[in-house]
């Protein structure tokens, strides 16, 4: 009966047909489980020039490479990443970071605030 009704078949293989690749950044690269997505490229460039960021690897898109950095803070490593411009790009790259093992995110940008008492730029 199960051969005639494919939905009743049991497949012990738990991998999906299209499985996210946890090695997007590179095989054997240890990616921190926390990340800061920073829309301010100048901040990332300054930290990199000061030697405070280490390149873990790159995510890739049609626009080219999107470097993922590691930042050490009080003995903890945090991934730092520019999520690109626009919600679709940011969401797609964030999904790839989740596949790499990042589970907690903080986003820093300059678009606005939810609290009207806070002035723009503060």
């Amino acid at each position: 009966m199960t051969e005639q009704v494919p939905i009743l078949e049991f497949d012990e293989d738990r991998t999906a047909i299209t499985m996210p690749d946890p090695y997007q950044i590179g095989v054997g690269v240890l990616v921190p489980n926390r990340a800061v997505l920073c829309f301010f490229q100048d901040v990332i460039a300054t930290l990199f020039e000061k030697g405070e960021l280490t390149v873990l690897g790159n995510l890739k898109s049609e626009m080219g490479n999107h470097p993922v950095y590691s930042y050490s803070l009080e003995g903890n490593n945090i991934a730092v990443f520019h999520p690109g411009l626009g919600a679709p790009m940011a969401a797609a790259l964030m999904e790839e970071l989740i596949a790499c093992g990042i589970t907690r995110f903080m986003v820093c940008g300059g678009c606005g605030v939810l609290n009207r008492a806070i002035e723009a730029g503060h």
Side-chain angles (χ1 to χ4, degrees):
M1 174 70 176
T2 59
E3 294 172 10
Q4 296 173 351
V5 186
I7 197 166
L8 298 178
E9 294 176 5
F10 181 74
D11 184 0
E12 292 184 21
D13 185 2
R14 303 304 298 163
T15 56
I17 293 171
T18 57
M19 195 70 179
D21 183 1
Y23 302 111
Q24 290 279 17
I25 293 175
V27 176
V29 174
L30 182 60
V31 178
N33 67 345
R34 295 174 284 185
V36 173
L37 277 60
C38 180
F39 283 93
F40 302 113
Q41 184 61 41
D42 56 333
V43 172
I44 294 173
T46 299
L47 289 171
F48 185 73
E49 288 168 9
K50 288 178 164 180
E52 296 183 31
L53 296 179
T54 304
V55 178
L56 293 174
N58 294 292
L59 297 180
K60 296 175 179 27
S61 75
E62 287 73 19
M63 292 177 56
N65 288 331
H66 303 274
V68 179
Y69 303 95
S70 177
Y71 179 75
S72 182
L73 179 66
E74 298 176 0
N76 296 304
N77 288 330
I78 301 167
V80 176
F81 182 75
H82 189 292
L85 295 178
M89 173 70 83
L93 293 174
M94 189 173 169
E95 287 288 340
E96 290 190 40
L97 292 173
I98 291 168
C100 292
I102 298 175
T103 58
R104 297 176 185 203
F105 294 88
M106 183 172 92
V107 180
C108 299
C111 188
V113 297
L114 298 175
N115 184 343
R116 293 181 189 268
I118 300 173
E119 293 183 36
H122 291 81

